[in-house]
């Protein structure tokens, strides 16, 4: 199939969502990026790979979301000087992805405006690349000086506030450099990568069953989304379709994961606005929710419930009754709490107009997922490309246009109610049958998975080698797109509002520091 009039054929992968892949040359690589940008498509991910073991040199891949589905374009690169055309002029979100590909594989984006290291942090030499063939990831190096060149802001009264990377409580590590006048923020620059733990290196050489467990641990609050995306990639690679009952159970698990995170965030957002009552109430509801997860599925966070070929655990009639009863009770209590949020003048004063991202800025910067929908971006894979069982649930994307903290709070309430309705429908209509189909090893295979997690779209690209083991598994979190937008959301606000704005996005460090 051809797209955008390019002289390049994309072949459809055997996946429940429309996913297409093609090898392109340099001119097509740039032309495709321009065409997708002009059509208001989105960059989903960009990553590099070392394919010298098969005689193909290096490669860079980009995945784009379009009205027709996801396009995975791969560009082969010269082994002696692996470089490719920069696409950040079309998609600003590509900047950090290109920098990460440079750190991990040693491929260069030509004429890129920002070539600073992203993941390396002085932990390994500039000429060492963890994902190159021949490196094991077990090499040890003496820590090096790491004088990161932050962008300086000059002017009368301008000073810097450095926060992190170590934070209080259970917050993951990340560094935030504020340039301020008084308490007003002129600029924020983030530095992440402190959670880098070699996951992509660890995938290499695993069998696909081992890889499933690792994929579910990329980001603990999105374990179902990653596990399902990985399972979809494995199944598309092997040409296997999960049983119908398994597909319904997967959707049930994903929506329960969505509700758990929304409940937690709504409490934390209230607390960050000095409304401790909200934290107490939503924490209670979330704890009840997680306890029933444990009782019905064996794990509070639903880890290892989804596996290639289906799911690891079925539901009995008693569990179904408990799940539906809980949905009714939670929906009633969340509705009461929403009324309190809406009518609390002091709380609304903190939320409304704070940390605003306009729809125009959101579209230009590629803001995605829940935060994107709060700023007028309508993308939601469950509604745009409804695959079973979502094709029978009449999913409608919840959207707002104000793009402030209040809009992101409203989004969580609305998505929570929508997910509760879907959970009830999924349990009520759960079909019979098997919950797992064996998935055989496939040599030299290619597969992809694409799932709407609670933050946004989670993408997994999977390739196996001649022995049927993992040659490359790239997992992508929507936080890659959304972290840079947070830098814009804080501009013009005061420093004390940053925790509130930051929490309203609630982005993952672990999910993007692979």
């Amino acid at each position: 199939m051809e797209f955008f009039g390019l002289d390049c054929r994309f072949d459809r992968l055997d996946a429940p969502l429309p996913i297409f892949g093609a090898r392109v040359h340099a001119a097509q690589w740039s032309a495709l990026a321009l065409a997708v940008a002009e059509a208001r498509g989105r960059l989903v991910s960009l990553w590099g790979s070392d394919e010298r073991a098969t005689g193909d040199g290096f490669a860079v891949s980009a995945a784009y979301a379009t009205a027709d589905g996801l396009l995975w374009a791969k560009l082969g690169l010269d082994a002696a000087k692996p470089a490719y055309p920069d696409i950040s002029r079309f998609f600003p979100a590509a900047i950090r992805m290109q920098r990460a590909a440079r750190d991990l594989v040693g491929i260069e984006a030509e004429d890129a405006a920002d070539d600073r290291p992203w993941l390396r942090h002085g932990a390994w030499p500039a000429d060492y690349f963890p994902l190159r063939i021949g490196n094991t990831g077990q090499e040890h190096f003496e820590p090096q000086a790491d004088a990161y060149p932050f962008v300086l802001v000059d002017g009368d009264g301008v000073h810097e506030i450095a926060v992190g990377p170590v934070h209080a409580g259970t917050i993951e590590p990340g560094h935030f450099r504020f340039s301020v006048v008084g308490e007003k923020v002129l600029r924020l620059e983030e530095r992440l990568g402190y959670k880098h733990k070699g996951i992509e290196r660890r995938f290499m050489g695993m069998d696909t069953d081992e890889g499933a467990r690792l994929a579910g641990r990329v980001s603990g609050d999105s374990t179902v989304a990653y596990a399902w995306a990985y399972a979809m990639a494995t199944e598309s690679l092997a040409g296997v379709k999960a049983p119908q009952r398994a597909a319904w159970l997967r959707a049930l698990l994903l929506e329960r994961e969505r509700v758990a995170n929304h409940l937690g965030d709504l409490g934390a957002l209230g607390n960050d606005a000095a409304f401790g009552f909200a934290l107490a109430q939503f924490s209670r509801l979330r704890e009840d929710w997680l306890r029933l997860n444990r009782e019905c599925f064996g794990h509070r966070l639903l880890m290892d419930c989804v596996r290639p070929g289906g799911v690891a655990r079925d539901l009995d009639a008693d569990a179904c009754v408990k799940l539906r009863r809980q949905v009714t009770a939670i929906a009633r209590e969340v509705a009461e709490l929403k009324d309190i949020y809406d009518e609390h003048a002091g709380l609304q004063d903190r939320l409304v107009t704070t940390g605003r991202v306009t729809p125009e800025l959101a579209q230009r910067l590629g803001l995605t997922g829940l935060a994107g929908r709060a700023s007028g971006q309508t993308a939601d894979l469950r509604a745009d490309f409804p695959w079973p069982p979502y094709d029978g649930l009449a999913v409608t994307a919840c959207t707002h246009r104000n793009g402030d903290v209040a809009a992101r709070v409203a989004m969580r309430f609305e998505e929570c109610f929508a997910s509760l309705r879907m959970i009830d429908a999924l349990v009520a209509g759960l079909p019979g049958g098997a919950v797992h189909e064996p998935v055989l090893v496939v040599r030299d295979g290619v597969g992809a998975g694409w799932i709407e997690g609670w933050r946004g779209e989670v993408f997994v690209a999977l390739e196996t080698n001649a022995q049927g083991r993992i040659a490359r598994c790239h997992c992508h979190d929507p936080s890659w797109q959304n972290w840079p937008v947070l830098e814009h959301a804080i501009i013009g606000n005061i420093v004390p509002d940053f925790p509130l704005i930051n929490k309203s996005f609630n982005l993952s460090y672990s999910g993007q520091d692979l």
Side-chain angles (χ1 to χ4, degrees), residues 38-219:
E38 289 180 339
R40 299 176 72 86
R42 307 187 307 280
L43 173 67
V44 174
S45 187
L46 182 147
W47 67 102
S49 53
D50 182 351
E51 303 184 351
R52 289 176 296 171
T54 59
D56 291 332
F58 294 92
V60 61
S61 293
Y64 299 103
T66 73
D68 297 306
L70 185 134
L71 309 184
W72 172 1
K74 178 182 281 193
L75 171 64
L77 307 178
D78 180 63
K81 188 180 179 182
Y84 60 96
D86 168 40
I87 63 169
S88 65
R89 61 187 183 277
F90 307 119
F91 300 100
I95 295 173
R96 293 179 180 179
M97 302 179 205
Q98 292 178 165
R99 291 165 63 187
R102 165 66 173 75
D103 288 349
L104 295 175
V105 189
I107 60 176
E108 302 275 359
E110 296 171 328
D111 302 320
D114 190 345
D115 60 357
R116 294 174 294 172
W118 181 246
L119 288 174
R120 187 159 51 86
H121 286 271
W124 62 82
D127 59 354
Y128 171 82
F129 306 105
L131 297 188
R132 283 198 175 184
I133 300 297
N135 295 330
T136 66
Q138 301 299 313
E139 294 82 4
H140 295 279
F141 305 99
E142 289 297 322
Q144 301 176 342
D146 186 31
Y148 188 77
F150 285 97
V151 176
L152 298 178
V153 177
D154 295 323
D156 291 341
V158 177
H159 63 284
E160 290 186 340
I161 302 174
V163 180
V166 178
H167 304 278
T170 58
I171 302 171
E172 293 181 283
H175 183 87
F176 302 96
R177 186 70 61 95
F178 298 88
S179 298
V180 302
V181 171
E183 287 195 323
K184 184 176 181 180
V185 178
L186 302 179
R187 191 181 195 281
L188 165 64
E189 185 171 4
E190 304 158 352
R191 193 179 185 204
L192 307 176
Y194 298 94
K195 290 286 289 184
H196 177 72
K197 47 205 171 293
I199 282 183
E200 292 191 305
R201 174 72 252 181
R202 184 70 184 88
F203 271 118
M204 297 169 69
M206 280 185 164
D207 64 41
T208 50
D209 284 341
E210 288 179 297
R213 285 179 54 80
L214 183 57
R217 286 157 175 78
V218 166
S219 185

Side-chain angles (χ1 to χ4, degrees), residues 134 155 229 240 355 361 368 445 472 482 487 507:
V240 170
L361 181 63
T368 189
R472 183 78 167 93
N482 293 358
E487 295 182 341
L507 305 176

Side-chain angles (χ1 to χ4, degrees), residues 297-312:
F297 300 103
H299 197 285
R300 287 166 59 87
L301 299 181
L302 306 174
M303 198 162 281
D304 297 325
C305 290
V306 176
R307 62 171 177 156
V311 295

Side-chain angles (χ1 to χ4, degrees), residues 243-304:
Q244 184 185 26
R245 184 177 177 88
W248 282 61
L249 288 169
R250 285 176 173 181
L252 171 62
L253 292 165
L254 186 69
E255 296 311 315
R256 285 193 68 88
E257 179 171 84
R258 195 182 314 275
V259 170
N261 282 290
H262 288 344
L263 292 175
D265 281 357
L266 286 167
L269 281 160
N271 192 58
D272 280 348
F275 189 45
F277 170 81
L279 179 63
Q281 297 303 315
F282 278 107
S283 294
R284 173 180 59 84
L285 297 180
R286 184 173 185 270
E287 178 61 23
D288 289 344
W289 194 258
L290 298 183
R291 288 183 182 186
L292 192 59
N293 280 352
R294 174 70 177 84
E295 181 179 344
C296 294
F297 300 103
H299 197 285
R300 287 166 59 87
L301 299 181
L302 306 174
M303 198 162 281
D304 297 325

Side-chain angles (χ1 to χ4, degrees), residues 458-475:
V458 168
F459 173 69
V460 172
L462 179 65
E463 298 178 79
T464 57
N465 60 20
Q467 291 74 46
R469 304 185 78 82
I470 296 175
R472 183 78 167 93
C473 182
H474 175 71
C475 299

